Amino acid sequence: MAGVSSGMLISNVSFLRKPQFCTSLKPKSTISDLTFLTSQLSGINISSSVLSISSKPISVPSKPSPFPVARRICPFTGKKSNKANKVSHSNHKTKRLQFVNLQYKRVWWEAGKRYVKLRLSTKALKTIEKNGLDAVAKKAGIDLSKE
């Protein structure tokens, strides 16, 4: 029985040889057959000469949001969020952000004789009350006429 099993092993070893590659193989399809393909998943048209993107990709919404996202930075003082740790009772620390106290406020602009609606920090509000809107805006480099 040992001789029969060893003979089976020798006959089965032939499939483990490296395959012989022939250099005379020709591709089944040519470039002219593959000139234009459409990818259904990403909305990209693939061409053999130029890669072009379709007008409406699937992943991007068709309409932009009506309200732009405002950054949490005061334009007058330059204050922005602070990275800090949230500390639990067991002294476990978790990263968090301490945001600036930004408020929407209508401020009277004396030079323009009108109200200007601004999003500013409470620290900037105190500075405006002390020094005046024109002085603080000039120091920050903000043009109030276009706002």
Side-chain angles (χ1 to χ4, degrees):
M1 242 175 149
V4 174
S5 63
S6 64
M8 289 177 63
L9 288 175
I10 294 171
S11 64
N12 290 338
V13 172
S14 62
F15 74 89
L16 295 175
R17 291 183 193 160
K18 290 184 181 178
Q20 300 286 329
F21 291 110
C22 181
T23 57
S24 65
L25 291 176
K26 293 184 180 178
K28 294 179 181 177
S29 61
T30 60
I31 294 178
S32 63
D33 296 337
L34 301 173
T35 55
F36 191 75
L37 296 173
T38 304
S39 174
Q40 296 296 324
L41 295 177
S42 63
I44 299 175
N45 295 331
I46 302 173
S47 173
S48 63
S49 60
V50 177
L51 179 68
S52 63
I53 298 174
S54 66
S55 62
K56 288 187 179 180
I58 296 171
S59 62
V60 178
S62 60
K63 289 184 181 179
S65 64
F67 301 107
V69 177
R71 295 178 63 198
R72 291 180 171 147
I73 295 178
C74 177
F76 289 94
T77 59
K79 287 184 172 286
K80 56 185 176 181
S81 59
N82 182 37
K83 291 182 183 173
N85 284 325
K86 179 180 178 182
V87 183
S88 68
H89 179 70
S90 64
N91 205 24
H92 181 76
K93 294 171 180 68
T94 307
K95 297 288 184 188
R96 66 175 295 259
L97 287 176
Q98 294 174 336
F99 294 115
V100 183
N101 189 7
L102 291 176
Q103 305 292 324
Y104 286 100
K105 188 76 175 168
R106 273 182 29 182
V107 182
W108 178 253
W109 182 31
E110 192 64 39
K113 303 289 187 213
R114 64 181 175 97
Y115 281 101
V116 180
K117 188 174 182 181
L118 300 171
R119 186 177 190 221
L120 39 88
S121 64
T122 52
K123 178 70 176 177
L125 258 175
K126 290 173 74 174
T127 308
I128 287 171
E129 288 176 5
K130 181 179 177 183
N131 299 333
L133 182 60
D134 283 328
V136 176
K138 184 177 179 182
K139 185 176 180 182
I142 296 173
D143 185 20
L144 294 172
S145 61
K146 61 184 175 184
E147 291 186 28

